Each structure stands twice: as structure tokens, then as C-alpha cells.
Amino acid sequence: MIDNKLYAFGGAFKKSNGLNSFHGFYECILKLESPKEDLFKWKRILGEAPKNRDSHTSISFLDQLMIFGGSFNSQCFNDLYKYSVTNKIWTKLEPIADDGHQPPSREGHIATLIDGDKMLIHGGINDDQVCYSDAYILVGLHKEID
């Protein structure tokens, strides 16, 4: 949730031949004080977005949506993207120093914002269905400078 707007990216649906992933990105404008028939309105956000995926996590930080990991078909990811609601731009984020402490690729994990400016990632499974019980904290979240 950012400014009474809910954002939904990706996901999967079951078909007779397996799972298919969505590539859609949507914004839901919530009008919680409106009459029952006008509580919310969905709008598709067009433009360049991360690869199709499901079982990823997302958190909101100020005016940014952060998305980590997930999978497409049988490939898991450990990539991190941010979407600026203000600038309407996706950016793939790269680690400042990759000293081997980057989370391995995973899906089905959890993530939450802690201490107001850090993203905690915990658990999940990898491509080989190995379950993780680890935790990582992403530090360095900050407000974009226009």
C-alpha cells in the first residue's frame, strides 16, 4: 500500500498443462470512504517491468515498491527490483559489494520492512526444492533524489 493504492505484480494461474505466470502490473485505487459499489478501481500499469514471476515477495518503502526473488516455470530468481510510484519507473538494483552474502535464488519466502528502512527476507525454496531456514537483511533503502 502506498497512498491508498494497492499494487499487484505477476502471479500464476493453473491451466490444464501446468502453471502460467502473469506479467501484468496493476494499481488498485482504494476509496474506503465511498459507497459500497465504489470502494476500489483497478488500473493496469503499462511499461517495462521485471520478468514474469510468481511466489516472489514485495514490500513498500516510502513511494517505492520493492520486489525480490520468485520464480518462472522452474527457474528461481534472487533479483531485486524497485518501482517508483512517483516516477513510474522500474529499476533493477545491484548489490553495492557482492561479498558472497547475497541471498540465493528462491521462491515462496517471506519479506517485511523492519526498522523503517530495511527489508528482511526469510525462508523459501530453491529450484531443487531445497527449503531454506535462513534470513537476510537488505540495508541501504533510501528515498530517490529527483
Side-chain angles (χ1 to χ4, degrees):
M1 288 277 297
I2 300 172
D3 296 329
N4 285 334
K5 295 177 184 172
L6 174 70
Y7 293 88
F9 173 76
F13 62 96
K14 193 169 189 162
K15 289 182 75 174
S16 59
N17 61 347
L19 287 178
N20 271 359
S21 292
F22 290 110
H23 191 245
F25 183 39
Y26 296 88
E27 175 182 81
C28 180
I29 301 166
L30 301 173
K31 300 176 183 177
L32 301 177
E33 303 300 321
S34 296
K36 282 187 180 180
E37 61 273 359
D38 190 31
L39 290 175
F40 62 91
K41 179 180 180 181
W42 285 100
K43 177 177 102 175
R44 184 161 188 168
I45 300 174
L46 301 175
E48 195 170 320
K51 292 180 186 177
N52 293 18
R53 66 190 64 216
D54 61 82
S55 304
H56 54 284
T57 53
S58 68
I59 63 164
S60 59
F61 172 70
L62 302 172
D63 70 335
Q64 300 168 64
L65 179 68
M66 311 293 288
I67 289 180
F68 176 78
S71 65
F72 177 65
N73 292 332
S74 60
Q75 179 188 8
C76 288
F77 307 116
N78 70 337
D79 51 4
L80 178 67
Y81 286 88
K82 82 174 172 185
Y83 177 76
S84 169
V85 172
T86 304
N87 298 328
K88 299 182 181 351
I89 295 173
W90 282 104
T91 305
K92 183 176 182 183
L93 302 177
E94 301 292 341
I96 294 171
D98 187 2
D99 55 3
H101 297 292
Q102 187 173 345
S105 298
R106 64 188 65 212
E107 66 174 330
H109 53 286
I110 62 167
T112 189
L113 185 68
I114 60 172
D115 294 335
D117 65 350
K118 297 172 188 70
M119 182 177 188
L120 171 69
I121 298 163
H122 172 69
I125 60 175
N126 69 9
D127 298 342
D128 298 320
Q129 303 300 302
V130 173
C131 292
Y132 292 117
S133 61
D134 56 1
Y136 288 84
I137 296 176
L138 170 68
V139 296
L141 297 178
H142 62 277
K143 173 90 171 107
E144 289 182 343
I145 300 171
D146 295 326

